[in-house]
Amino acid sequence: MSVYNNINQFSTEIDAHIEKMLREHAPFAADIAGYFFGWLDQDFKPVTNVMKGKRLRPVMSLLACEAICGSYAKAMPLAVAIELIHNYSLIHDDIADRDDERRGRPTVWRLWGDGLAINTGSTLYTLAFQAVTSTDATPQKVLAIHDIFVKTSLKLSYGQHWDITFERSLDVDQDRYLRMIDGKTAALIECATWVGALVATDDARLVDAYRSFGRHLGLAFQIQDDYLNIWIDTAESGKTQYSDLRNKKKSLPITYALTRAQGGDQKRLAAIYADADHEMTSSEMTDVLGILEKIDAKEYTGQLAAHHTQEAIRWLDSTELDNDAHNLIRALAQELLGRTV
Ligand code: GRG
């Protein structure tokens, strides 16, 4: 049985907190946000049978807290804040990428336009900071956690900035790519396990281990996401397969190909990616997929994801904790590598 089944209880609780915050503090945004979180359909009627987000980040935060202090309760406002920021960033990212679908359904900007999508996203981001400041901890700790959220947000903006900028550059090597995903994706997962641990203990060694675990898991997660975008079936994932290729995103397999392909393949790849104003055609896509196959980009991408997953597990094991929450977080991290959504 998938370990995702074990976390349903956490997801339900996180969703209930988010829904309550929305209804109390931002009722104007609750319907569109409710659609995005997977509680409502596009006519704002309750639904139960749609694909929802995995709630990976908040669950990791709660588990980190529980593994250290035996209860997840103290981390709940932080887990809520993290999921709010995550969803805010996805709504805005879908606008930037002009993506039509997310979690198997039309994106918010497609249904309600850019203006309401931007405003709904911004509302979620604002609510996140309201949740952070409601954390039950000493004022010093709340300030320290607030500071982590501010720095994490800036890292996300940095990652998003370079991800968009890379669309118009051929000068994207592995180092630049890794720095970009460190911001775009790893920062929020790092923040999740970091603040989950920090609210639970003053033991800097434990906090640091959980923080590093989250960072490596985040790197593995994004590399795996790049992999799935090319080498997984859309019906399984709910994402549009090849959207990274079609949008000419410099995902890991492509940055690898840009530095590894030789001769004619190099030229063909450069010519296709130099034209950032047009979507990739199907014949160009056939060529790119052929080049990726020739240089074993699939294996390379899978191995790099595995490397960061192993690093994540190494940090986790360095805590020498052994309890249900700790073991679940470990199982969850390992299962992520084999995920199809
Ligand atoms: C926070 C100030 C501030 C700015 C945000 C828009 C933006 C800047 C960043 C976008 C970053 C982004 C879209 C990263 C992608 C991360 C990623 C791998 C998303 C998919 O995560 P899943 O699979 O999603 O956990 P679900 O659907 O399960 O919730």
Side-chain angles (χ1 to χ4, degrees), residues 140-155:
Q140 290 92 321
K141 205 165 244 192
V142 174
L143 263 185
I145 289 170
H146 186 275
D147 191 50
I148 292 171
F149 272 90
V150 169
K151 292 196 170 106
T152 298
S153 296
L154 289 172
K155 276 195 187 171

Side-chain angles (χ1 to χ4, degrees), residues 16-62:
H17 281 277
I18 293 177
E19 199 178 3
K20 186 162 178 286
M21 282 198 88
L22 277 162
R23 296 276 166 213
E24 273 178 14
H25 304 293
F28 57 88
D31 285 342
I32 295 180
Y35 168 84
F36 195 66
F37 281 109
W39 314 318
L40 303 177
D41 67 14
Q42 59 190 70
D43 298 318
F44 306 132
K45 302 267 183 324
V47 276
T48 50
N49 58 345
V50 297
M51 186 184 289
K52 294 203 327 187
K54 296 179 283 302
R55 313 290 188 252
L56 163 77
R57 296 157 187 78
V59 165
M60 287 284 184
S61 204
L62 297 179

Side-chain angles (χ1 to χ4, degrees), residues 53-54 57 83 85-86 88-90 92-93 102-103 125 153 156-157 160 184-185 221-222 225 239 339:
K54 296 179 283 302
R57 296 157 187 78
E83 190 60 16
I85 293 179
H86 170 59
Y88 146 70
S89 78
L90 296 183
H92 279 210
D93 189 56
R102 163 82 60 187
R103 300 171 181 152
Y125 186 63
S153 296
L156 258 100
S157 303
Q160 181 76 340
K184 183 177 91 158
T185 306
F221 189 75
Q222 181 59 55
D225 213 56
K239 292 173 191 160
R339 82 197 155 103

Side-chain angles (χ1 to χ4, degrees), residues 216 219-221 223-224 227 252 300-310 337:
H216 283 286
L219 292 171
F221 189 75
I223 296 166
Q224 182 76 349
Y227 177 103
L252 180 76
Y300 175 80
T301 307
Q303 278 162 16
L304 197 62
H307 164 75
H308 284 290
T309 304
Q310 280 151 15
L337 238 204

Side-chain angles (χ1 to χ4, degrees), residues 290-306:
I291 295 169
L292 292 177
E293 197 174 331
K294 255 196 235 175
I295 56 165
D296 292 331
K298 185 176 178 178
E299 288 68 27
Y300 175 80
T301 307
Q303 278 162 16
L304 197 62

